[in-house]
Amino acid sequence: MDAAATLLEIEAIKQLKARYCRYLDTKQWDAWRELFTDDFVSDTSASGGKVIDGADEFVAFLRATLGKPAQPTVHQVHAPEIELTSPTTATGVWALNDVVRLAPGVNLNGYGHYHETYEKIDGRWRIKTSELTRLRMDVFNPLFTVRISDRLRSTGVALARRFGR
Amino acid sequence: MDAAATLLEIEAIKQLKARYCRYLDTKQWDAWRELFTDDFVSDTSASGGKVIDGADEFVAFLRATLGKPAQPTVHQVHAPEIELTSPTTATGVWALNDVVRLAPGVNLNGYGHYHETYEKIDGRWRIKTSELTRLRMDVFNPLFTVRISDRLRSTGVALARRFGR
Amino acid sequence: MDAAATLLEIEAIKQLKARYCRYLDTKQWDAWRELFTDDFVSDTSASGGKVIDGADEFVAFLRATLGKPAQPTVHQVHAPEIELTSPTTATGVWALNDVVRLAPGVNLNGYGHYHETYEKIDGRWRIKTSELTRLRMDVFNPLFTVRISDRLRSTGVALARRFGR
């Protein structure tokens, strides 16, 4: 592959991970499912979680755990190190900052890295494996959290759809 | 357009948004104004704000609202999804984390997404529209905030100018 | 240089800075040292620090200051503005969010910018100079911090090595 084709694949994988975060945090579960290979494996055991085998199982678990409107989540990813290992396979490391509501007034602010593999199937990149490691996990209680209504939160979904995403 | 030309435009738009954040947070208002089309529209109504029509009006509003040295702001943007829709137009979604001082000891830590359009005029990309949606807005009070003096804050401006930006 | 070659160098410099953060926060000091030119100069005087001359001196200082397992650090970098100034030299500005433990229960959450120069030596980009400016520095005390054991923290190092990084 030449330089331009390689960079185009790297950019596509960066946008795949951007959509992973955006669809997860805006709770677009059907669109989110499409980002994974069927045999996707998630391993968060190094960060206090577990291994989940299968994209359907993973999406069902996250949806049950974080799917309620009263459970806002934030996943922001940074400084990707993407490497193509063949025209249809790649590896990547991403820095992560995530904010998750654990209970009323109790929130987690976490920092770590995703270590991932990707596969291009039918012309589209998907996430094949993802392992999460942690640098810090802080539990905090803000003075208060401004409630974002479901209607306002879904504005982002509507906006993205207007632009064809 | 071929792959390399497309990627070069995407990189230029990424750097446009990087400068948007940097000029805003270092309060370089004249340089900031140059990043927008004259007919720029900002819509923060889904995040508790309003619609502002016109780049001059937008810059004047932000300058009046956040322009004082005692009002430090932080805007950090992540995981861009940029798509060219023609050689001179593009759309983009960016994750945002912003920190704004509301009052002494009271600060906002916000998370959301910018949904934007861009236009290339006279060979340079500019931001044409920007709509902000929110995932979370936490109000917090740090133990204390180290005061960054105006002189030290402007060091960043001087450094950037030395490198010709 | 054509567009594709330029973009390939910019991507390589982005990944260099990504490794800077990851090796620093996972305390891989020998690998970290390899990212700098021998005559590297760090200047954090605008952020309350000092000038350190020489890569060996810089790595030794950081290792002594932040090297203990009980001193977790987070450095996350955003929105790079990389510009090639010749086929083997470049400049860059990065937004930074860093979290550092100052004392038990007392932590710093900082925001600012790195202003850097890079040099390509023997086919590999290295950081030649780095100056840090600040927007905000908040001192905070979380409710509590989940302790990440050394074993778990080093999982990230093992994972990255499995993928050949």
Side-chain angles (χ1 to χ4, degrees):
Chain A
M1 295 174 72
D2 68 8
T6 299
L7 289 164
L8 208 60
E9 302 294 11
I10 289 175
E11 178 63 24
I13 293 169
K14 288 179 183 174
Q15 295 205 16
L16 166 69
K17 191 66 186 175
R19 283 193 296 273
Y20 166 94
C21 294
R22 186 162 60 87
Y23 293 166
L24 167 58
D25 292 334
T26 54
K27 304 184 193 301
Q28 301 185 64
W29 303 109
D30 293 341
W32 200 55
R33 170 63 181 87
E34 296 304 308
L35 306 180
F36 303 101
T37 61
D38 293 342
D39 62 352
F40 172 73
V41 179
S42 165
D43 184 351
T44 58
S45 55
S47 137
K50 59 181 180 175
V51 177
I52 298 180
D53 207 324
D56 290 338
E57 288 75 6
F58 181 66
V59 174
F61 176 78
L62 265 286
R63 188 170 184 161
T65 311
L66 299 172
K68 297 200 196 87
Q71 291 171 307
T73 62
V74 177
H75 291 77
Q76 295 191 330
V77 288
H78 317 300
E81 301 170 60
I82 310 291
E83 190 183 344
L84 287 194
T85 49
S86 85
T88 59
T89 57
T91 64
V93 182
W94 290 83
L96 167 69
N97 176 208
D98 56 336
V99 184
V100 178
R101 184 181 174 279
L102 301 177
V106 182
N107 296 272
L108 173 71
N109 192 5
Y111 300 91
H113 292 95
Y114 285 119
H115 304 257
E116 303 193 317
T117 61
Y118 309 99
E119 189 171 352
K120 194 176 188 181
I121 300 174
D122 297 336
R124 208 162 53 77
W125 286 98
R126 292 167 184 251
I127 308 174
K128 188 176 177 66
T129 65
S130 182
E131 304 184 57
L132 178 59
T133 56
R134 288 290 189 185
L135 294 171
R136 278 187 76 110
M137 295 170 74
D138 293 330
V139 176
F140 73 102
N141 190 351
L143 289 180
F144 61 90
T145 298
V146 179
R147 188 168 175 277
I148 313 289
S149 75
D150 296 351
R151 189 183 60 79
L152 286 184
R153 203 191 311 271
S154 63
T155 303
V157 179
L159 277 177
R161 285 198 181 131
R162 191 202 303 167
F163 293 136
R165 293 168 201 280
Chain B
M1 294 175 72
D2 68 7
T6 299
L7 289 164
L8 209 60
E9 303 294 12
I10 290 175
E11 177 64 23
I13 293 168
K14 289 179 183 175
Q15 295 204 15
L16 167 69
K17 190 66 185 176
R19 283 193 296 274
Y20 167 93
C21 294
R22 185 161 61 85
Y23 293 166
L24 168 58
D25 292 334
T26 55
K27 305 184 193 299
Q28 300 185 64
W29 303 109
D30 292 341
W32 200 55
R33 169 65 182 87
E34 296 303 308
L35 306 180
F36 304 101
T37 61
D38 293 343
D39 63 352
F40 171 74
V41 179
S42 165
D43 184 350
T44 58
S45 55
S47 134
K50 59 180 180 176
V51 176
I52 299 179
D53 207 323
D56 289 337
E57 288 75 7
F58 181 65
V59 173
F61 175 77
L62 265 286
R63 189 170 185 161
T65 312
L66 300 172
K68 297 199 195 89
Q71 290 172 307
T73 61
V74 178
H75 291 77
Q76 295 191 331
V77 289
H78 316 301
E81 301 170 60
I82 310 292
E83 190 183 345
L84 287 193
T85 49
S86 84
T88 58
T89 57
T91 64
V93 182
W94 291 83
L96 167 69
N97 175 208
D98 56 335
V99 185
V100 177
R101 184 181 176 279
L102 302 177
V106 181
N107 297 271
L108 173 72
N109 192 6
Y111 300 91
H113 291 95
Y114 285 119
H115 304 257
E116 303 192 317
T117 61
Y118 308 99
E119 189 171 352
K120 194 177 188 180
I121 300 173
D122 297 335
R124 207 161 54 77
W125 287 97
R126 293 167 184 250
I127 308 174
K128 188 176 177 65
T129 66
S130 181
E131 304 184 57
L132 178 59
T133 56
R134 287 292 188 182
L135 295 171
R136 276 187 77 110
M137 295 170 75
D138 294 329
V139 175
F140 73 102
N141 190 351
L143 289 181
F144 60 91
T145 298
V146 179
R147 188 168 174 278
I148 313 288
S149 74
D150 296 350
R151 189 184 59 81
L152 287 184
R153 203 191 312 270
S154 63
T155 303
V157 179
L159 277 177
R161 286 199 182 131
R162 191 201 306 166
F163 293 135
R165 292 168 200 280
Chain C
M1 295 176 72
D2 68 7
T6 299
L7 288 164
L8 208 60
E9 302 294 11
I10 290 175
E11 177 64 23
I13 293 169
K14 288 179 182 174
Q15 295 206 15
L16 167 69
K17 192 65 186 176
R19 282 193 297 274
Y20 166 93
C21 294
R22 185 161 62 85
Y23 293 165
L24 168 58
D25 292 335
T26 55
K27 303 183 194 301
Q28 301 185 65
W29 303 109
D30 292 342
W32 201 55
R33 170 63 182 87
E34 295 304 309
L35 305 180
F36 304 101
T37 61
D38 293 342
D39 62 352
F40 171 73
V41 178
S42 164
D43 184 350
T44 58
S45 55
S47 134
K50 59 180 180 176
V51 177
I52 298 181
D53 207 323
D56 289 337
E57 289 73 7
F58 182 66
V59 174
F61 176 77
L62 265 286
R63 189 170 185 161
T65 312
L66 299 172
K68 298 201 194 88
Q71 291 172 307
T73 62
V74 177
H75 292 77
Q76 296 191 330
V77 288
H78 316 301
E81 300 170 61
I82 310 292
E83 191 184 343
L84 287 194
T85 48
S86 85
T88 57
T89 56
T91 65
V93 181
W94 291 83
L96 167 69
N97 175 209
D98 57 335
V99 185
V100 177
R101 183 182 174 280
L102 301 176
V106 181
N107 296 271
L108 173 72
N109 192 6
Y111 300 91
H113 291 95
Y114 286 118
H115 305 256
E116 303 192 317
T117 60
Y118 309 98
E119 189 171 352
K120 194 177 188 181
I121 300 174
D122 297 336
R124 207 161 55 76
W125 286 97
R126 294 167 183 250
I127 308 173
K128 188 175 177 66
T129 65
S130 181
E131 304 184 57
L132 178 59
T133 55
R134 289 290 189 183
L135 294 171
R136 276 187 77 109
M137 295 170 74
D138 294 329
V139 175
F140 73 103
N141 189 352
L143 289 180
F144 60 91
T145 298
V146 179
R147 189 169 174 276
I148 313 288
S149 75
D150 296 350
R151 188 184 60 79
L152 286 184
R153 203 190 312 271
S154 63
T155 302
V157 179
L159 277 177
R161 285 197 182 131
R162 190 202 304 167
F163 292 136
R165 292 168 202 281

